[in-house]
Amino acid sequence: MRKEQVYSVRGDAELITRAGHLFESAQTEFLCGARDLRTWSQPQARAAIRNRMRATDSTGFTSRKLLSPVALADEEARTHLQMVQHKGAAVRISSSPMPHETILIDRRVVILAGQHTPTGREYTVTTSQTLVDGVHSLFQAIWDTATDLNTYLHSNAPHLDADGRVILQTLASGLTDASAAKRLGISLRTYRRRVADLMAKLEADSRFQAGLRVGELGIPR
């Protein structure tokens, strides 16, 4: 019978020092539940998780990432999650947050993230099978009711009226603002205001990002 362990560490650096080998030891399943992408934010922690993602190419290895809608707050985060998904991980979005942000490894290890403190987050690491099974069951229950990343993005696509779609077409054509405004028969000021409104609807910080967001959401041009 294996010896069960429960211990706590303070901050990402200590987590990687004490438990980093556990990330690398995953053989069959790597599950991650978090509110956003900053939970495991320090370089060492993110590197360990990225290294583990490489195993998703292996037959029989399961990698799942469960996040709240907060994780999709900016373009960089959405792009990152789509890349993770492209590499083989399953990504779902849930409005039902887990009580603790969690990593589960092979149904034998659980790492729970505590609250932020001035000295860093406290993490609890356990191999207690009772605790592991309980957290795994909770993760699975939330996972089953969560929405696939692509489905979530498309279902939350903003509605663009006729004016919005016309502005989208002019942006895609590569016309200057002055030329686009002239073609539409509106003032340059009005055209730029409509562009700004469109970018706000698409939650884009630049026109380039707006184009990416259109493709990401599958909005017809």
Side-chain angles (χ1 to χ4, degrees), residues 70-142:
V70 176
L72 305 176
D74 58 69
E75 184 71 28
E76 183 180 357
R78 290 190 290 265
T79 300
H80 170 76
L81 288 174
Q82 288 181 313
M83 177 191 69
V84 166
Q85 188 172 247
H86 179 71
K87 289 185 175 181
V91 181
R92 290 190 181 183
I93 307 300
S94 174
S95 57
S96 302
M98 297 188 69
H100 294 278
E101 294 170 301
T102 306
I103 281 179
L104 297 107
I105 301 171
D106 292 346
R107 301 197 187 192
R108 59 182 174 80
V109 179
V110 165
I111 302 172
L112 300 174
Q115 297 298 314
H116 289 284
T117 72
T119 57
R121 267 189 161 182
E122 181 176 80
Y123 297 95
T124 298
V125 183
T126 181
T127 60
S128 166
Q129 199 59 53
T130 299
L131 294 176
V132 171
D133 290 344
V135 175
H136 192 282
S137 295
L138 176 59
F139 184 100
Q140 187 64 48
I142 299 175

Side-chain angles (χ1 to χ4, degrees), residues 75 171 199 204-215 221:
E75 184 71 28
L171 290 177
M199 290 172 56
D205 296 325
S206 68
R207 296 185 185 193
F208 176 73
Q209 281 190 352
L212 292 178
R213 186 85 170 116
V214 166
R221 294 174 184 268

